[in-house]
Amino acid sequence: MRWKSASRNAGMMLLVSTCLLLSTVLTPQVAEAKVKKNLTVNNTINQFTEGTFQRAEMTTYESTSGSAAALDDKGGVQVTPISIFKFQENASAHSLPRNLARMGIAVVGTRIFVIGGIAHVNGSSTYETTAEVYSAEVATTATANQAIGEFTSDWVAEPSLPAVVSSGDTGFTDPTAVVNSPAVVTATAGGKSYIYVIGGNTRIGESGRDFSSYAVRRATIGSNGRISTWESLSNATIPLINQLSGLQGASAVTSTINGTTYVYLIGGLQRYRVDQNMVESGSKAVFWAKVDSSTGKLVKPSNPSQEGWDRGADLDLRDDSGVDAAGLWDAAAVSGAYDVTNNLYGGRAIYVFGGQTVSNNFPGNPGAAYNAEVYQILPSATGSPDSGDWTSGTLPSARVGLGAVTFGGKNYLPGGAVVDGSALNPQNDMLMSIVNDFLELPPLSENGSNFLADEDAFATARAFHGTALVKVGESAYVYVLGGQSTADGNNPVYTSDIRYGKIGGEQKQLVGYPRDGWYYSNVVDFNFSNAEVQNIRWGTYFSDPNNGDIEISYRVANANTCSDPGWTFNDWKPIDGNSGSSFSQEGANEVTLDTAEGRCFQYRARLVSLKNEPEYSAALGASTPTLLYLSLLILLPGSPDIRADLDKKDIEAVFNADKQLIGFNVRIRNHNDKEDLPVNGGYEPTQNADSDGSVGSFFVDIFIYKDQEPSSPPTIPVQSDTHDIGCTTIPTSRMTANQTYQILSWADITTDPNCTSNNLNLLSYFAKNGRGTYYVYLVVDSYCDDTSGNGIANGCIDETDALNGESNNVIKYSFTLNPTDPEIPVVSYDLSLPMISK
């Protein structure tokens, strides 16, 4: 028995990004040969961040003990904490260029844009509405002098808003540029990003009267992330509701449904002229438009060839006494796609918070009314906002001029003003709610409130401010920009201050955990339609096993592309890794699947922190379960086939004109003959030599017999034999699909049985043995130990007998060494070089 072996670790988990070096050709036939492959879907932080989170978030936890520790790397998923966090006291040295309130805010990538607004004039007590636009970039990586979330430089001036016609009323038709209280959204179409500025309060000239604009302006973002041009979408102005005015203080959000982006314009205030008087009237209309996928224009969903808006069902507003409210404005709205078990409306929801409902000319005067309700709109699969307008929750108190963002299945509402007699008092708190699996805001406290409140989230009270969210990895940063910092009155104070706080990552002060959270993995593309998932393995950690659990479900699909697998909500299949009452046990879990064949794979995990609490309980968990990793054992169609083909001269003795031997070439290749067959003839793709997840190397041996062909050629695993004169080791990673590898050096088996040197010269061997006929046997993947030290019949690479497979690993080549002149040596070491004349 030979005493050499190759290192090999077939159970090692490999990353999906490094394992799938495979052909992308689809194979509708069921292949006979298949390769087992260990594939890690999620383990590290970077892998988990490719998925989506709903009331769940990343954790840097790494298991160091227990049955899962050996396979776990740093990173996992836990239920997101419900927590109070403070905004940075010194958020940025880069304050706004002016003291601003009621401006529009847009985020494109990691750049924040501040659009228009009301500003102090040169620090005085007078105010002006502006057309100025500024932007600043947010840092996404930390440096020695700058933290993540800080601005990379001072605010820079962008092209100002263009002057546009904003009303059809006589005397108000001159173009005007200034605007405050606009609705602003962003969208991407045709490879370009756009900012839409919709309506707002404007005036013509410094002495003109304020009125509500119906204009829609669009900025195009250039390749540098800055605004390149502005234009007026004059064919997509806000539809007229009353008289000839538009809307200000409306809420606008977008939702992308089945690849189509829609813009929703909700409520708003109309300020317009009746006779010679300016009056105010609220709107409860919900308008929606489709973003044209190629031009970025706003078109009617009912007639996409025509620019403009369609009108959905009005908001079903009620004031405190149950009487219909006139409208809703200066509210805040968010739009999210929530990964929930209830597949109604595809998990899409729009939430509208607070706002004013009744006007007595100006906010704060007696007779004005404000909203404490949360209204919900559930867009349909075609984008229509007509269904599901209903009250979804209640704020702790009515407020107006607040901000709102949504992230990780939670809604965050910073600031806003509450009513105190006839004044509106800005707040410095942060309200937070979660979205449950029924797209509702569940109670979070014993008094039934749908919100938790941090009463001192940031140092300076703020209302009518700008609110922005910038995503950075698994976390996000919320910004409160400018705003009104004192009670409403004749001389409210505006600020240029900026504060920010991190959400979805490290939290400041833990309150508790929701009853559960969801994690949806990225879709894994196996690149072969008949790949088969044999089993699923995952690791868990429970600080409180009595209350914690993790429920895993998966789905597979055969599709031409995994970007649109075509599966439905009903395709999810649950698996149980624990024979007890829980779905997962502490540590390592493994489930073998009966049939799970397809090209595309996705899993989801429901992380439960309160197993024994009713669905609508207001209780919060004290701990969270953690998903550490999830991996698959899959079968891929086809196989590697390591071989040397004589018809391709992979083994060749090279002679000069005198028939002297001047070289002996050996190369091997990885090519499966069934890859060359028609699909209907049993096509099987060539796989990498390490496609089963193995790492290490394999042996190639060369046997040489002179003048007599052996009656029994060498066999695998090779035995000790005087004709085994040389060997070499080749890393399995070098033999990718259809790769050719030339062997340039050999080790003398008698002096180096581990085959690591290059101390054998084949030409010298033939020179020593002289004239005759030589029978050369190349043995590929010649030897590999099993765990007991015995040789494995198939060597280190399992070629699964694809057409030839293991049977072509012993290759015979013969040649006769007999130079023309009997006096000259049989081997020549001379090199023939070309003559170069000049």
Side-chain angles (χ1 to χ4, degrees):
M1 185 68 66
R2 299 186 63 182
W3 61 92
K4 64 182 181 181
S5 63
S7 62
R8 175 175 168 88
N9 184 357
M12 182 176 180
M13 306 293 182
L14 298 182
L15 302 181
V16 64
S17 60
T18 59
C19 284
L20 293 178
L21 301 174
L22 310 173
S23 167
T24 58
V25 180
L26 294 178
T27 65
Q29 293 287 323
V30 177
E32 295 180 0
K34 292 192 176 184
V35 175
K36 287 186 178 180
K37 179 183 183 70
N38 287 296
L39 178 64
T40 298
V41 180
N42 293 121
N43 194 354
T44 65
I45 291 175
N46 288 339
Q47 292 170 338
F48 275 113
T49 54
E50 294 176 348
T52 57
F53 302 80
Q54 167 68 5
R55 301 190 306 277
E57 69 178 31
M58 281 295 310
T59 175
T60 57
Y61 181 84
E62 180 178 7
S63 178
T64 57
S65 62
S67 58
L71 299 176
D72 183 38
D73 290 331
K74 184 177 181 179
V77 176
Q78 67 173 36
V79 179
T80 187
I82 295 177
S83 50
I84 303 305
F85 67 95
K86 309 294 184 185
F87 278 76
Q88 301 290 340
E89 288 301 319
N90 297 306
S92 174
H94 308 293
S95 299
L96 291 173
R98 304 187 67 178
N99 295 348
L100 280 169
R102 296 182 179 269
M103 58 283 205
I105 298 292
V107 176
V108 179
T110 56
R111 182 171 288 272
I112 300 175
F113 295 82
V114 175
I115 302 167
I118 303 177
H120 283 297
V121 178
N122 298 325
S124 68
S125 60
T126 59
Y127 309 90
E128 66 177 356
T129 296
T130 178
E132 296 167 349
V133 180
Y134 301 95
S135 75
E137 185 82 16
V138 171
T140 58
T141 56
T143 66
N145 300 317
Q146 190 171 61
I148 297 176
E150 278 285 349
F151 294 109
T152 59
S153 62
D154 286 334
W155 290 81
V156 294
E158 299 282 349
S160 295
L161 289 164
V164 295
V165 175
S166 298
S167 173
D169 193 5
T170 302
F172 293 85
T173 58
D174 290 344
T176 179
V178 298
V179 71
N180 69 71
S181 306
V184 176
V185 293
T186 63
T188 300
K192 295 181 179 180
S193 295
Y194 299 100
I195 300 173
Y196 302 84
V197 179
I198 306 167
N201 180 282
T202 188
R203 64 167 52 189
I204 298 173
E206 293 184 5
S207 61
R209 290 181 290 184
D210 287 3
F211 64 95
S212 301
S213 170
Y214 62 36
V216 177
R217 287 170 272 206
R218 184 183 71 172
T220 301
I221 305 301
S223 59
N224 62 352
R226 304 275 302 278
I227 293 175
S228 60
T229 58
W230 282 101
E231 63 182 310
S232 172
L233 300 184
S234 56
N235 294 323
T237 57
I238 300 173
L240 299 177
I241 301 174
N242 193 353
Q243 301 298 320
L244 300 173
S245 73
L247 294 168
Q248 64 187 68
S251 299
V253 294
T254 63
S255 182
T256 300
I257 304 169
N258 298 324
T260 300
T261 299
Y262 299 93
V263 177
Y264 300 89
L265 186 65
I266 305 164
L269 175 69
Q270 303 171 85
R271 181 173 286 166
Y272 57 94
R273 182 176 62 178
V274 175
D275 297 326
Q276 296 303 314
N277 300 314
M278 298 302 295
V279 298
E280 295 176 352
S281 175
S283 167
K284 50 187 171 184
V286 178
F287 296 106
W288 61 305
K290 174 182 174 181
V291 178
D292 185 274
S293 60
S294 58
T295 67
K297 292 184 177 181
L298 300 181
V299 299
K300 292 186 174 184
S302 62
N303 183 10
S305 63
Q306 181 180 354
E307 292 183 58
W309 303 76
D310 285 336
R311 185 169 179 172
D314 290 354
L315 289 174
D316 185 14
L317 301 177
R318 298 283 190 273
D319 64 15
D320 294 340
S321 63
V323 178
D324 281 345
L328 185 69
W329 64 94
D330 288 338
V334 297
S335 174
Y338 302 94
D339 295 309
V340 295
T341 54
N342 178 7
N343 198 44
L344 186 66
Y345 303 105
R348 298 176 298 272
I350 298 170
Y351 300 93
V352 185
F353 310 96
Q356 187 168 353
T357 57
V358 177
S359 172
N360 188 8
N361 290 328
F362 296 97
N365 286 355
Y370 303 91
N371 175 47
E373 301 295 328
V374 179
Y375 294 98
Q376 182 192 60
I377 300 172
L378 302 176
S380 70
T382 60
S384 169
D386 292 346
S387 57
D389 293 334
W390 49 287
T391 301
S392 180
T394 303
L395 297 168
S397 61
R399 66 177 59 198
V400 66
L402 64 167
V405 294
T406 186
F407 184 77
K410 297 195 290 187
N411 299 319
Y412 298 88
L413 282 60
V418 298
V419 182
D420 182 11
S422 61
L424 297 179
N425 288 326
Q427 303 294 299
N428 61 344
D429 60 359
M430 166 76 80
L431 305 181
M432 191 280 296
S433 67
I434 63 174
V435 178
N436 69 14
D437 290 346
F438 299 94
L439 298 175
E440 298 169 345
L441 309 184
L444 293 180
S445 61
E446 294 180 356
N447 63 8
S449 171
N450 303 105
F451 293 83
L452 290 176
D454 175 11
E455 302 296 341
D456 189 24
F458 40 92
T460 306
R462 216 69 65 85
F464 303 107
H465 50 279
T467 305
L469 180 140
V470 177
K471 295 180 180 179
V472 181
E474 79 278 9
S475 302
Y477 289 81
V478 179
Y479 297 80
V480 172
L481 306 101
Q484 179 178 323
S485 59
T486 62
D488 194 42
N490 293 327
N491 294 297
V493 175
Y494 299 161
T495 181
S496 63
D497 183 59
I498 299 172
R499 306 284 163 158
Y500 77 95
K502 181 182 178 183
I503 58 177
E506 297 177 0
Q507 304 291 327
K508 297 296 182 182
Q509 180 181 345
L510 176 66
V511 175
Y513 296 91
R515 60 172 290 110
D516 60 6
W518 289 90
Y519 175 74
Y520 284 67
S521 77
N522 196 26
V523 178
V524 179
D525 188 345
F526 299 140
N527 291 320
F528 299 98
S529 62
N530 54 338
E532 180 182 335
V533 181
Q534 284 206 316
N535 65 34
I536 301 178
R537 305 161 183 164
W538 68 98
T540 65
Y541 168 72
F542 299 106
S543 56
D544 184 1
N546 292 324
N547 283 319
D549 195 10
I550 298 178
E551 303 172 15
I552 302 291
S553 303
Y554 74 94
R555 57 186 179 183
V556 293
N558 271 321
N560 290 328
T561 171
C562 290
S563 61
D564 184 18
W567 47 36
T568 68
F569 182 81
N570 295 325
D571 291 329
W572 289 110
K573 297 179 175 61
I575 55 177
D576 193 344
N578 191 351
S579 58
S581 59
S582 299
F583 286 88
S584 293
Q585 62 185 2
E586 170 83 23
N589 295 256
E590 181 173 350
V591 170
T592 300
L593 306 181
D594 294 331
T595 56
E597 188 174 280
R599 172 175 175 171
C600 311
F601 172 87
Q602 186 184 26
Y603 80 89
R604 66 179 186 181
R606 179 175 180 243
L607 297 95
V608 181
S609 66
L610 289 172
K611 286 196 299 185
N612 303 316
E613 289 291 330
E615 183 70 33
Y616 290 95
S617 170
L620 296 175
S623 66
T624 171
T626 302
L627 176 65
L628 304 176
Y629 64 83
L630 186 137
S631 65
L632 309 173
L633 177 63
I634 61 176
L635 292 180
L636 295 177
S639 70
D641 187 2
I642 311 299
R643 57 200 290 168
D645 294 336
L646 298 183
D647 60 336
K648 295 182 176 64
K649 297 186 177 181
D650 286 339
I651 307 177
E652 181 184 26
V654 183
F655 302 92
N656 62 15
D658 294 325
K659 296 186 179 181
Q660 290 177 292
L661 185 67
I662 60 174
F664 194 82
N665 299 330
V666 178
R667 63 186 180 189
I668 60 175
R669 62 183 68 236
N670 179 16
H671 180 75
N672 176 355
D673 274 347
K674 280 196 174 181
E675 184 171 290
D676 303 325
L677 297 175
V679 170
N680 293 333
Y683 168 91
E684 293 177 5
T686 301
Q687 299 284 7
N688 301 337
D690 60 357
S691 59
D692 61 352
S694 63
V695 292
S697 57
F698 63 94
F699 292 108
V700 177
D701 284 63
I702 186 167
F703 289 71
I704 300 179
Y705 303 82
K706 183 185 177 186
D707 293 332
Q708 183 174 358
E709 184 176 357
S711 57
S712 298
T715 58
I716 301 174
V718 297
Q719 308 296 318
S720 297
D721 189 324
T722 57
H723 295 91
D724 184 1
I725 68 162
C727 59
T728 188
T729 58
I730 300 174
T732 54
S733 60
R734 299 290 293 271
M735 301 308 298
T736 56
N738 298 306
Q739 176 68 43
T740 299
Y741 180 88
Q742 186 159 2
I743 300 175
L744 299 176
S745 62
W746 296 90
D748 188 333
I749 192 69
T750 60
T751 60
D752 182 10
N754 290 319
C755 308
T756 58
S757 65
N758 57 350
N759 60 349
L760 175 66
N761 187 315
L762 287 181
L763 289 183
S764 297
Y765 174 88
F766 290 118
K768 176 182 177 182
N769 286 276
R771 299 169 185 267
T773 298
Y774 290 88
Y775 299 91
V776 179
Y777 287 86
L778 191 71
V779 185
V780 180
D781 193 17
S782 57
Y783 192 85
C784 198
D785 278 338
D786 63 11
T787 55
S788 301
N790 301 314
I792 301 172
N794 290 339
C796 287
I797 302 173
D798 187 0
E799 300 174 45
T800 62
D801 199 25
L803 192 64
N804 292 313
E806 305 292 349
S807 63
N808 62 10
N809 282 9
V810 179
I811 305 98
K812 182 184 78 170
Y813 173 78
S814 62
F815 69 98
T816 299
L817 184 55
N818 187 21
T820 304
D821 186 345
E823 299 299 326
I824 63 175
V826 295
V827 173
S828 174
Y829 298 96
D830 295 334
L831 294 177
S832 298
L833 298 176
M835 293 186 64
I836 301 175
S837 60
K838 188 173 181 181

